[in-house]
């Protein structure tokens, strides 16, 4: 598919439009994107950003006060030897556990003094840290090199996955041993491995409590006081920080920004003329996604600049409640993007209407004749079980839309009901997220990063978000009566241009007709276009 008319959908305007909307004005300060960690005076007081934003960007957690719990009196079994090289191995004895505890105390002491660590190595059975020269109050960080995507340095998964297996087998002595090591290494402000260990520790101890062995969980290290127990999530975040985190994350990471931009380009293409008066038909977008309004300013701006004129009416119906809940779907109480988006639309002379619906029933959506109907489902359908996914997509098919945009996590393998296997898949997805955010935020431990990472960590406790790949989604859509469409060349090229502003480890690839997003050669997500096989006009 190609654009038959209209302006090129220039995705490089993404930040421009986003900042316009967030400031409720048409002013734009380019220097803000040149240094995203320093706010210009002109927008420092904007209600979309915390008043002390410059300080908030450098918030560090105080040294952990989590008590170190002694390992059980029974001698714990040795850890399974992971597939490290001969120079790399994890703690396997109680002596090494003592050294790991000492290491943790040293790390806390270093954090107090301001000389942050900038790397981790495991050699000769010991966990040691390479000392950096970071300034006091600022984590030196190592960008995206904290885990490098290489299995040899992804030690957190080599602790978390055997622990999940031990919990499933009710092998409590092994559980105690592994959780003790995890507790000593977990840190939500460390590198990707330390942060994954922290979030994984929280998820495993909670699962231990709900798996019928709650009495044993009371004595598990980290239970009720682990390093990630107070990590923020979208639902618990103050609305201003929530919006700030959304905008900042889109600026520094393409995790959602690229699929959203591809979706917007395709929606713009779907706008067609009304045969009766040669004007664009009203556009109705059913939003079943996780953007919380961040996706739409760029689309509205492109519609307003369309040579043929904007549709007489643009409707956005937020129908997230119709999809299974999952990570990134919640918003804090009191957050409402509608008023900001309506003011922005008014500033560019666009007639916008925003509604909300709890279901995808035609009556709930107030469908109208001769409108272009687009269902945009981004990162929401993949939660719940396969039956839930099929039921949701069937309800989409019954709407007989002009276009369906489906974006999801691109996992590998089929769903597995066993806890260890499913936990391992979700831990791998979270690793990619944490490793990529290390690069995106340049190793800085700021409030916005903590919010998005705390929310992403919910994938360890929700449904099997990473269980299915693009191929399985394609089979499901075809089986429900959809046919796949290709993205226009302009949209794909603009997406690649957008990706160049982010870390060089990101890449796009064609997955059939879909566009896939990858991090360090590993699949992350895909975005695809669909139309019903037959559609009545």
């Amino acid at each position: 598919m190609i654009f038959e008319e209209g302006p090129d959908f220039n995705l490089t305007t993404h930040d421009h439009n986003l900042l316009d909307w967030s400031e409720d004005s048409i002013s734009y300060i380019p220097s803000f994107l040149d240094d995203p960690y320093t706010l210009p005076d002109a927008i420092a007081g904007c209600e979309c950003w915390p008043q002390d934003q410059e300080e908030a960007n450098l918030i560090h957690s105080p040294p952990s006060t989590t008590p170190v719990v002694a390992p059980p009196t029974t001698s714990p079994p040795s850890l399974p030897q992971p597939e490290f090289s001969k120079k790399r191995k994890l703690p396997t004895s109680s002596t090494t556990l003592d050294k790991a505890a000492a290491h943790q105390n040293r790390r806390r002491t270093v954090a107090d003094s301001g000389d942050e660590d900038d790397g981790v190595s495991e050699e000769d059975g010991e966990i040691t840290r390479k000392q950096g020269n970071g300034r006091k109050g600022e984590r030196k960080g190592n960008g995206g090199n904290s885990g490098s995507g290489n299995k040899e340095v992804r030690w957190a998964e080599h602790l978390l996955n055997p622990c999940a297996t031990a919990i499933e087998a009710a092998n409590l002595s092994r559980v105690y041993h592994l959780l003790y090591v995890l507790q000593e290494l977990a840190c939500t402000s460390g590198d990707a491995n330390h942060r994954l260990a922290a979030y994984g520790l929280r998820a495993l101890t909670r699962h231990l409590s709900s798996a019928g062995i709650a009495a044993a969980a009371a004595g598990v290290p980290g239970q009720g006081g682990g390093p990630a127990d107070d990590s923020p999530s979208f639902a618990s975040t103050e609305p201003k920080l929530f919006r700030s985190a959304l905008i900042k994350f889109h600026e520094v990471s393409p995790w959602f920004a690229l699929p959203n931009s591809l979706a917007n380009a395709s929606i713009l293409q779907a706008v067609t003329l009304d045969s009766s008066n040669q004007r664009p038909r009203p556009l109705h977008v059913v939003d079943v996604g996780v953007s919380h309004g961040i996706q739409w300013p760029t689309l509205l701006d492109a519609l307003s600049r369309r040579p043929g004129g904007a549709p007489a009416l643009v409707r956005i119906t937020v129908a997230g409640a119709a999809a299974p809940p999952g990570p990134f779907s919640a918003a804090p109480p009191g957050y409402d993007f509608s008023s900001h988006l309506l003011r922005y639309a008014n500033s560019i002379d666009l007639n916008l209407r925003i509604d909300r619906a709890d279901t995808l029933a035609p009556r709930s959506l107030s469908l109208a004749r001769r409108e272009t109907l687009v269902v945009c489902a981004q990162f929401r359908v993949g939660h719940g079980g396969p039956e839930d996914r099929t039921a949701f997509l069937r309800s989409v098919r019954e709407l007989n839309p002009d276009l369906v945009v489906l974006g999801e996590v691109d996992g590998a393998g089929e769903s597995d009901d066993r806890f260890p296997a499913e936990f391992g898949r979700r831990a791998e997805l979270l690793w990619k997220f944490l490793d990529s955010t290390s690069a995106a935020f340049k190793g800085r431990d700021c409030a916005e990063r903590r919010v998005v990472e705390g929310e992403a960590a919910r994938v360890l406790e929700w449904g099997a978000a990473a269980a299915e790949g693009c191929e399985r989604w394609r089979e499901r859509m075809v089986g429900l009566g959809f046919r796949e469409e290709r993205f226009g060349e302009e949209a794909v090229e603009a997406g690649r241009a957008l990706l160049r502003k982010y870390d060089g480890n990101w890449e796009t690839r064609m997955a059939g007709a879909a566009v896939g997003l990858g991090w360090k050669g590993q699949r992350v997500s895909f975005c695809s276009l669909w139309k019903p096989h037959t559609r009545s006009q």
Side-chain angles (χ1 to χ4, degrees):
M1 299 195 322
I2 59 174
F3 288 102
E4 296 181 358
E5 62 172 328
D8 292 340
F9 193 79
N10 185 0
L11 297 185
T12 61
T13 65
H14 169 80
D15 295 309
H16 184 151
N17 301 323
L18 197 54
L19 265 294
D20 283 352
W21 166 69
S22 69
E23 295 176 7
D24 295 327
S25 69
I26 312 180
S27 63
Y28 175 57
I29 303 174
S31 61
F32 173 63
L33 293 181
D34 294 338
D35 184 1
Y37 299 101
T38 303
L39 276 170
D41 294 337
I43 65 174
C46 172
E47 68 170 359
C48 295
W49 294 87
Q51 292 296 319
D52 297 324
Q53 182 68 25
E54 189 169 2
E55 294 180 11
N57 278 340
L58 296 177
I59 290 177
H60 289 72
S61 64
S64 173
T65 57
T66 304
V68 177
V69 180
T73 55
T74 58
S75 178
S78 298
L79 284 173
Q81 182 67 28
E83 296 180 0
F84 289 129
S85 65
K86 293 182 179 180
K87 292 185 179 180
R88 294 184 179 271
K89 50 188 177 182
L90 290 174
T92 58
S93 67
S94 59
T95 300
T96 305
L97 290 179
D98 294 337
K99 293 178 180 179
H103 146 70
Q104 181 73 355
N105 292 331
R106 288 196 303 271
R107 180 157 55 88
R108 292 168 182 164
T109 302
V110 169
D112 285 335
S113 67
D115 293 328
E116 296 292 346
D117 303 331
D118 63 356
V120 64
S121 64
E122 305 85 23
E123 299 186 6
D124 302 325
E126 298 187 28
I127 304 273
T128 60
R129 299 287 293 188
K130 301 176 183 178
Q131 300 300 318
N133 296 318
R135 292 174 295 172
K136 186 174 183 178
E138 177 178 316
R139 176 168 292 277
K140 182 177 179 65
N142 52 7
N145 300 323
S146 61
S148 76
N150 190 320
K151 286 284 187 180
E152 288 189 350
V153 295
R154 289 166 60 170
W155 54 261
E157 290 168 278
H158 287 280
L159 293 170
L160 293 169
N161 293 338
C163 190
T165 301
I167 291 175
E168 184 79 356
N171 186 342
L172 293 185
S173 62
R174 189 177 181 85
V175 169
Y176 271 80
H177 175 74
L178 292 171
L179 290 185
Y180 177 78
V181 177
L182 282 166
Q183 185 195 27
E184 289 306 306
L185 298 175
C187 178
T188 55
S189 60
D191 68 11
N193 272 300
H194 291 90
R195 303 198 309 277
L196 179 59
Y199 292 119
L201 172 63
R202 180 185 63 178
L204 289 174
T205 52
R206 288 181 179 179
H207 179 79
L208 186 62
S209 298
S210 62
I213 43 179
V220 172
Q223 177 66 20
D229 279 354
D230 59 349
S231 60
S233 65
F234 275 12
S236 65
T237 300
E238 192 272 334
K240 286 185 179 179
L241 176 57
F242 172 71
R243 189 190 304 164
S244 171
L246 288 174
I247 294 174
K248 176 69 71 175
F249 186 57
H250 277 68
E251 288 172 3
V252 300
S253 171
W255 192 282
F256 295 135
L258 179 65
N260 286 346
S261 296
L262 290 169
N264 285 347
S266 303
I267 294 171
L268 183 66
Q269 179 183 352
V271 174
T272 56
L273 298 178
D274 191 319
S275 58
S276 62
N277 57 17
Q278 295 300 306
R279 291 194 58 186
R281 295 192 298 173
L283 173 64
H284 187 181
V285 179
V286 179
D287 177 9
V288 190
V290 297
S291 83
H292 302 283
I294 300 296
Q295 178 177 353
W296 305 123
T298 305
L299 175 64
L300 298 182
D301 181 74
L303 289 170
S304 70
R305 293 184 291 105
R306 194 173 180 274
L313 174 64
V314 177
R315 294 178 57 199
I316 297 177
T317 299
V318 182
F328 299 102
S329 64
Y335 173 77
D336 183 11
F337 66 84
S338 300
S339 59
H340 300 278
L341 203 56
L342 288 168
R343 282 197 292 270
Y344 176 70
N346 184 62
S347 71
I348 57 176
D349 298 322
L350 191 74
N351 185 15
L352 174 66
R353 171 180 161 187
I354 301 177
D355 299 309
R356 294 185 180 275
D358 294 331
T359 71
L360 292 186
R363 181 174 298 180
S364 297
L365 299 176
S366 301
L367 300 182
R369 296 186 61 186
R370 292 190 297 275
E371 70 177 4
T372 300
L373 178 62
V374 178
V375 177
C376 186
Q378 297 272 60
F379 301 96
R380 288 300 309 278
V381 191
H383 305 290
E387 298 80 7
D388 298 323
R389 302 168 191 180
T390 300
F392 177 85
L393 293 173
R394 184 177 289 113
S395 65
V396 173
R397 179 63 182 86
E398 291 171 356
L399 295 176
N400 202 28
D402 292 272
L403 182 69
V404 176
V405 182
L406 177 65
E408 272 301 334
V409 169
D410 194 359
E414 293 297 325
S415 179
D416 195 324
D417 293 334
R418 296 175 303 162
F419 170 69
E422 194 53 55
F423 180 85
R425 270 189 287 272
R426 286 179 270 163
E428 182 177 10
L429 173 62
L430 183 57
W431 163 264
K432 297 174 190 176
F433 190 90
L434 298 176
D435 191 36
S436 67
T437 52
S438 290
F441 287 89
K442 304 185 188 309
R444 296 195 180 188
D445 181 23
C446 64
E448 288 85 359
R449 192 186 87 171
R450 289 198 176 193
V451 169
V452 295
E453 290 187 346
E455 181 68 17
R458 295 173 63 232
V459 74
L460 297 177
E461 300 165 24
W462 288 83
E468 294 183 335
C470 180
E471 297 79 9
R472 179 67 187 95
W473 284 104
R474 183 176 288 113
E475 293 173 5
R476 181 179 283 115
M477 293 294 286
V478 170
L480 290 172
F482 290 97
R483 57 182 172 85
E484 192 169 15
E485 297 285 317
R486 287 192 172 273
F487 286 90
E489 256 182 55
E490 297 89 344
V492 175
E493 288 303 317
R496 289 171 179 160
L498 175 70
L499 206 62
R500 286 196 286 270
K501 68 170 280 189
Y502 299 109
D503 185 272
N505 285 301
W506 289 106
E507 61 185 5
T508 59
R509 63 179 181 83
M510 298 306 299
V515 175
L517 178 64
W519 169 255
K520 293 183 178 179
Q522 302 175 73
R523 298 190 295 181
V524 168
S525 65
F526 70 90
C527 188
S528 58
L529 302 179
W530 301 87
K531 288 184 177 180
H533 273 299
T534 58
R535 186 181 189 279
S536 57
Q537 301 297 323

